[in-house]
Amino acid sequence: MADRSTTLLELPERPEGPEGQEGPEGRPRRSSQPRVVSLPIGLIRAARPRQWIKNVLVAAAPAAAGQLVSLHTAARLAVVFALFTAASAAVYLINDALDAEADRAHPDKCRRPVAAGDVPVSVAYGAGALLAVAAVAGAAALCTAMTAALLTAYLAIQLAYCVWLKHVLVVDLAVVTTGFLMRAMIGGVALAIPLSRWFLITTGFGALFMVAAKRYSEAVQMAQRAEPDKGVTRALLNEYTTGYLRFVWQLAAGVAVLAYCLWALESGGVADRALLPWRQLSVIAFILAVLRYAVFADRGTAGAPEDVVLRDRALAVIGLVWAAMYGLAVADL
């Protein structure tokens, strides 16, 4: 028997797993067995470890500049990755605390630890605030003032999104895109690497492409339901049309491809010692990756970007080919 002082939460009811059947009212069938969940485990789940893969983008600017070879750079990027992970986890915790009531009515989000009762709302707020302060303080102490300022701006924008901006048309797309762009920027800022205008444009519109594709997929899936329940999906999603979201992801894809082409061709022809013009050839792999991702967007199955990339083997192979080509271009081989 667990001691009462141990931090355990006993839940009388909890939705079954992903394959759980629906009840008579269309809601997930509840299990009659109580579930005991450790609070630390609940907090870790609420911080969404699956989303941490996005923070690998902190290495984008140093990789593009060919500055990933030194131990000092790798150590600094590891610190930046940890700080950004803490900051993003803080946003997830506070967002889930704010949306706890609404998430309980959602067929999927009701399984989130805060909505399910694994993590009390007050604990989620406290842990989120603590992580946010620790991330900014750590950036100021271990990195540069600009790194701390960028991380503070990220937190401010994302928290404003949680409270208000996610209810504003178009602005919600821009804010989510900005989160990806700031991840790509902070590695360069922390290492004092100048950020190319083409790098920023390609990264920004590439992120907008994936964000709009995800929203488009959500809108398509909602429209395909026989009796869509507007109370269990994104409220703002009802204000967008699928035609508009398709226009956004197609426009963003086109701008990203154009910017990358200009970026690749900016250096001119073959480098001094390179066997082939790898940077220019990497355009082929980049365009193929965009076209492959667009297949899922067009079908309405482009969910979270990390899920699309990880589950599609062809897209992963194309990505590795692109990375190899760009790496050869940076190494001038």
Side-chain angles (χ1 to χ4, degrees), residues 53-302:
I53 191 173
K54 296 176 183 176
N55 298 329
V56 175
L57 279 172
V58 301
Q67 297 190 23
L68 285 180
V69 292
S70 71
L71 183 61
H72 173 266
T73 298
R76 177 60 63 88
L77 284 178
V79 170
V80 173
F81 176 86
L83 293 172
F84 214 106
T85 298
S88 59
V91 173
Y92 293 138
L93 284 162
I94 294 174
N95 176 74
D96 287 359
L98 287 168
D99 292 347
E101 287 298 325
D103 287 349
R104 290 187 184 107
H106 194 281
D108 297 320
K109 294 179 181 179
C110 65
R111 298 183 178 89
R112 288 179 175 176
V114 180
D118 296 351
V119 177
V121 171
S122 59
V123 173
Y125 277 126
L130 184 62
L131 283 172
V133 172
V136 174
L142 301 175
C143 300
T144 64
M146 280 298 297
T147 306
L150 187 60
L151 204 56
T152 302
Y154 169 81
L155 285 166
I157 293 172
Q158 296 302 316
L159 291 176
Y161 173 83
C162 295
V163 175
W164 172 49
L165 297 180
K166 65 182 177 182
H167 304 297
V168 183
L169 279 172
V170 181
V171 174
D172 71 308
L173 297 176
V175 171
V176 178
T177 300
T178 300
F180 284 95
L181 184 58
M182 286 185 166
R183 285 175 171 87
M185 291 172 60
I186 198 166
V189 171
L191 294 170
I193 297 173
L195 299 173
S196 162
R197 63 186 184 277
W198 299 123
F199 171 81
L200 294 174
I201 294 172
T202 302
T203 305
F205 279 93
L208 179 59
F209 164 52
M210 292 186 289
V211 170
K214 181 175 184 290
R215 290 287 194 274
Y216 172 76
S217 297
E218 291 172 344
V220 168
Q221 291 167 13
M222 184 179 70
Q224 288 174 347
R225 293 175 187 150
E227 295 180 1
D229 184 356
K230 296 186 178 182
V232 297
T233 187
R234 295 179 189 273
L236 193 62
L237 197 59
N238 299 307
E239 303 298 324
Y240 287 112
T241 64
T242 54
Y244 175 78
L245 291 170
R246 173 182 283 273
F247 163 75
V248 173
W249 70 254
Q250 289 178 338
L251 174 67
V255 174
V257 167
L258 177 60
Y260 186 84
C261 290
L262 292 173
W263 185 20
L265 297 172
E266 188 177 42
S267 60
V270 181
D272 294 337
R273 301 186 306 275
L275 179 64
L276 291 171
W278 295 114
R279 189 185 301 271
Q280 289 75 28
L281 289 175
S282 71
V283 168
I284 300 172
F286 185 85
I287 294 175
L288 284 176
V290 171
L291 291 175
R292 180 71 183 182
Y293 200 101
V295 169
F296 299 99
D298 187 64
R299 291 175 179 170
T301 58

